[in-house]
Amino acid sequence: MALVTASTVSLIGAPTDVGASVRGAGMGPDALRVAGIVETLRAHKLDVIDRGNLAGPPNPWHEPANGVRHLDEVVTWNRAVFDAVSGALGEGHIPLLMGGDHSLAIGSISAIAKHCRAMGKSLRVLWLDAHSDVNTEAISPSGNLHGMPVSCLLGHGPASLVGWSGQRAALSPEDIDFIGIRSVDAEEKQAIRLLGLSVYDMRHIDEYGMRHTMTEILQDLDADTHLHVSFDLDCLDPLEAPGVGTRVRGGPTYREMQLCMEMIADTGLMGSLDVVEINPALDVRNRTAELAVEFVQSLFGASTLVRER
Ligand SMILES: NC(=[NH2+])NCCC[C@H](N)C(=O)O
Ligand SMILES: [Mn+2]
Ligand SMILES: [Mn+2]
């Protein structure tokens, strides 16, 4: 019974870019559908329910006020995400949030943290990103909330985006590992040190390789761990994935990212997923969404191995 329910994936579209200053990520959910996300997961014997797109306010296209852009809109979108992700978890499904910009991880991960607490599971979050997204309204150079979700989840950030999991902090610093980081703002660096966050930046991946990096990250998981993957497509090298709003050169290659995904799949512990920041307006023939579908497939265990090992 548990096996059957655990393999139902609920797709939740959140078509908005209110957390960013580059427009276009709101088209991400449909780009993933056009790239075949539903059919691809079904081909891997997963039950897939596409719940369609959530509704929310349009992008008002304002300048930041008090250090944040579009706070009210980001709150409203995240409330919808929180409810939808909570609903999917309540049914025993694996929620797959299709963003949208990365601010939506506030609602998604808050819902997951609340669920894990209720189920007596420990939560581990893997943050795959070029950016660490640990800004706050006090230190962000842009005011964009997609650069602040981790802080909000750690209990620091605009009051209206903190405490959603039922505790001030949805996550403790040791619950999250960052992979692929290569763009961190000056004061954000200080925040990372102060909080003691585990950042596996590109220098680490260059020196130790993806295999060693992932082995280290995944070593202390146990059967009671709920693994959440928050996958910002700008983690990949922009040569592979050009369709993102905040490109940073020098990211993991296609092969490195495949290995990362396959090693996550091997744990058998992934219980939820965000796929965010795909910007079809900047993409080349939907390549970034197609790539995302390939990696999602790998996360769900579609191995490129010829032989089992
Ligand atoms: N999810 C993202 N793409 N975040 C980009 C953040 C960029 C920059 N650090 C900022 O805070 O504005
Ligand atoms: Mn991000
Ligand atoms: Mn990013």
Side-chain angles (χ1 to χ4, degrees):
M1 183 66 192
L3 263 175
V4 177
T5 50
S7 56
T8 300
V9 181
S10 266
L11 298 183
I12 299 161
T16 185
D17 53 13
V18 284
S21 59
V22 177
R23 301 286 319 264
M27 296 184 281
D30 279 339
L32 286 163
R33 292 187 182 98
V34 170
I37 191 162
V38 173
E39 297 77 5
T40 303
L41 291 176
R42 281 196 184 134
H44 287 284
K45 307 217 175 4
L46 291 156
D47 282 332
V48 182
I49 301 170
D50 185 352
R51 296 174 178 247
N53 286 345
L54 301 171
N59 189 324
W61 201 231
H62 291 152
E63 288 304 312
N66 304 316
V68 280
R69 196 191 302 270
H70 307 152
L71 179 58
D72 292 346
E73 290 78 12
V74 169
V75 168
T76 306
W77 273 103
N78 270 291
R79 223 175 263 138
V81 168
F82 180 92
D83 290 345
V85 170
S86 298
L89 290 166
E91 288 175 54
H93 297 174
I94 299 175
L96 193 168
L97 173 70
M98 304 186 290
D101 70 74
H102 216 165
S103 68
L104 299 166
I106 299 168
S108 149
I109 295 176
S110 296
I112 291 153
K114 185 174 179 190
H115 171 82
C116 286
R117 207 172 322 115
M119 304 294 285
K121 290 202 143 209
S122 56
L123 172 58
R124 278 285 290 279
V125 173
L126 304 182
W127 197 269
L128 308 184
D129 205 324
H131 312 90
S132 45
D133 295 345
V134 191
N135 274 311
T136 64
E137 71 276 33
I139 62 172
S140 167
S142 67
N144 297 330
L145 278 156
H146 75 159
M148 310 185 202
V150 175
S151 289
C152 296
L153 291 163
L154 292 170
H156 313 279
S160 53
L161 287 171
V162 166
W164 291 30
S165 73
Q167 292 188 343
R168 178 168 180 94
L171 298 174
S172 306
E174 62 272 17
D175 300 336
I176 179 165
D177 294 289
F178 299 80
I179 302 161
I181 306 302
R182 55 197 183 276
S183 173
V184 183
D185 300 313
E187 290 182 80
E188 207 182 3
K189 275 186 191 156
Q190 265 179 286
I192 288 173
R193 285 193 213 111
L194 227 58
L195 291 160
L197 295 170
S198 305
V199 176
Y200 295 85
D201 56 17
M202 282 313 297
R203 173 71 185 261
H204 187 99
I205 295 170
D206 289 342
E207 292 194 350
Y208 296 94
M210 188 59 90
R211 178 192 155 91
H212 184 281
T213 302
M214 292 308 294
T215 303
E216 194 177 334
I217 290 171
L218 299 172
Q219 66 187 351
D220 55 350
L221 306 179
D222 59 51
D224 278 333
T225 306
H226 175 116
L227 201 54
H228 174 82
V229 176
S230 204
F231 183 26
D232 180 332
L233 264 291
D234 69 35
C235 183
L236 269 158
D237 196 286
L239 292 170
E240 309 277 3
V244 296
T246 45
R247 292 185 203 178
V248 191
R249 73 171 94 189
T253 64
Y254 176 85
R255 283 309 316 163
E256 287 172 322
M257 191 59 88
Q258 279 291 12
L259 179 59
C260 172
M261 298 310 192
E262 289 173 7
M263 289 179 76
I264 294 169
D266 287 349
T267 68
L269 296 172
M270 188 179 72
S272 47
L273 172 62
D274 312 315
V275 180
V276 297
E277 295 285 343
I278 295 169
N279 188 327
L282 301 173
D283 206 1
V284 180
R285 291 180 150 286
N286 216 27
R287 189 196 291 171
T288 304
E290 287 177 358
L291 207 55
V293 170
E294 275 192 54
F295 289 127
V296 167
Q297 197 180 350
S298 300
L299 277 170
F300 282 101
S303 167
T304 52
L305 285 176
V306 177
R307 278 187 212 94
E308 292 303 319
R309 38 180 271 174

